[in-house]
Amino acid sequence: MGFADFHGNTEVVQRLRDMLARNRFPHAVVLAGPRGSGKYTLALMLARALNCLERPVSYSLAGEGARPSTAHALPDFCGKCSNCVRIGNAIDLDARFAEAIEAREGLRETDKKETRVLIQTHPDVLIIPPDPPQMMIKVDQVRRVIESIYFRPLEAREKVFIFTDSAFMKEAANSLLKVLEEPPEFATMFLLTENPGELLPTIRSRSMTFTLGALPVADVEEYLAKERTDWNAKQRALVARLAEGAVGQARSFDLSGYAAARANALALLSTALRSADHSELFKVTESYRPGADGRAKTELLIRTTYSLLQDLMFLMSGAPELVRNTDIVGELKKLGELADFEWIAAASDRLGDVERGMRRNLLRSLSLDAFAVGMEKG
């Protein structure tokens, strides 16, 4: 257990650990990178390293064959002490988030409205996820941080606050800025984001940003070969490309759900390009019902359709090595014979209309029908 379990971005992790070793760790760190790149995992690892009771070290070897005595000692965490265990209990963010939502739903209606979603498995480590239904960081969540950040830690050396998203409401972002202007010496804040540009420039200027890059496809495949033995080599190759270099996204990838969404996306595009009988199209779109489940299903269909449109563009551009849906190249080539760049651009625009329609609660099945019929080629 330790930083050796973190996959990829070795240089970024080493820089962060080096700052820990020199007691020069910033009070506010922005961890940027695509979904599934390990931002949350790394933040929890750093929280444990800051507060591990055993305080082990590991060595960064300058080159092959270097001896530990000449290598650079970097702080690590044991994963076994009480601080490490309790902080690590928050590693399954989705499960902890669901528990927090369930706890709030059990409150009286008046209390429910005043209660914000927070996750805390250690008294000195607070995790702040976006609060539903808007799925944004709200001012009451930041106020909770302000209320506790200036009190010294109870059991840890360092108080840690982890904002799992950069979607702040305006008042919440302004309140956070006040804390960043005068942070206490015993507190560290992590802000996780897919796009640092979503954060206020004044917040970014008071933080240090580290970007986690995508891993090579071969590295993700190698990881999946160890972690997902239930998939065959062809499936692992497909997921490694679809995950776009994000190990976390690859590990939890819903392959069966994606396959079902892709079959429906192919039906949409085939109907549009081949002007075939619409009965198959209507059979597909009728299954996209209202409700939360229907919304999630539609969002996956939209993402999958975008993926297929991109692959069509890669094939038509003479760049087949960039195609992600490698197991259906034959079907994509047949569709590509009927499409052109102008059609792909128009299809992407119309798909954006479907997304906007979802936000206005338009009937999803009719929106998808309109997309396919509207894109039919003469």
Side-chain angles (χ1 to χ4, degrees), residues 1-6 17 45 48 56 58 76-79:
M1 175 65 75
F3 285 102
D5 293 330
F6 191 80
R17 295 174 67 192
M45 284 183 166
R48 281 178 278 186
S58 57
D76 213 322
F77 60 94
C78 69

Side-chain angles (χ1 to χ4, degrees), residues 178-317:
K178 295 176 184 177
V179 178
L180 293 176
E181 288 173 346
E182 296 181 7
E185 60 179 10
F186 47 79
T188 300
M189 199 174 297
F190 293 97
L191 296 97
L192 315 184
T193 179
E194 293 183 30
N195 176 17
E198 291 182 347
L199 295 167
L200 290 176
T202 43
I203 289 179
R204 296 199 306 271
S205 68
R206 289 164 173 78
S207 310
M208 188 172 289
T209 299
F210 297 87
T211 301
L212 303 183
L215 272 63
V217 171
D219 288 2
V220 179
E221 279 194 68
E222 183 180 349
Y223 170 80
L224 291 175
K226 299 174 183 176
E227 298 293 327
R228 295 304 303 260
T229 54
D230 52 319
W231 291 341
N232 59 40
K234 189 176 181 180
Q235 290 173 320
R236 290 194 293 268
L238 173 63
V239 172
R241 285 181 171 270
L242 292 172
E244 298 181 322
V247 165
Q249 191 169 328
R251 182 179 58 246
S252 59
F253 196 88
D254 181 2
L255 193 54
S256 60
Y258 179 80
R262 191 175 66 179
N264 291 342
L266 284 170
L268 287 177
L269 298 180
S270 295
T271 298
L273 285 168
R274 293 171 176 151
S275 299
D277 178 15
H278 290 174
S279 58
E280 185 64 28
L281 169 67
F282 296 150
K283 190 185 302 182
V284 167
T285 57
E286 189 180 25
S287 66
Y288 286 80
R289 301 291 186 183
D293 290 343
R295 182 181 184 86
K297 185 178 177 181
T298 307
E299 288 173 347
L300 177 58
L301 175 67
I302 290 172
R303 290 199 303 271
T304 306
T305 307
Y306 273 129
S307 174
L308 295 180
L309 289 173
Q310 286 178 329
D311 283 350
L312 284 174
M313 185 177 65
F314 293 144
L315 287 172
M316 293 165 60
S317 302

Side-chain angles (χ1 to χ4, degrees), residues 135-164:
M135 294 307 291
M136 298 185 75
I137 305 293
K138 298 177 180 175
V139 67
D140 287 342
Q141 291 173 293
V142 177
R143 283 174 181 157
R144 172 68 181 274
V145 172
I146 296 172
E147 288 170 1
S148 61
I149 196 170
Y150 293 104
F151 291 96
R152 289 194 171 274
L154 298 172
E155 301 178 31
R157 287 186 301 276
E158 191 89 0
K159 280 198 165 186
V160 178
F161 301 87
I162 303 173
F163 290 89
T164 66

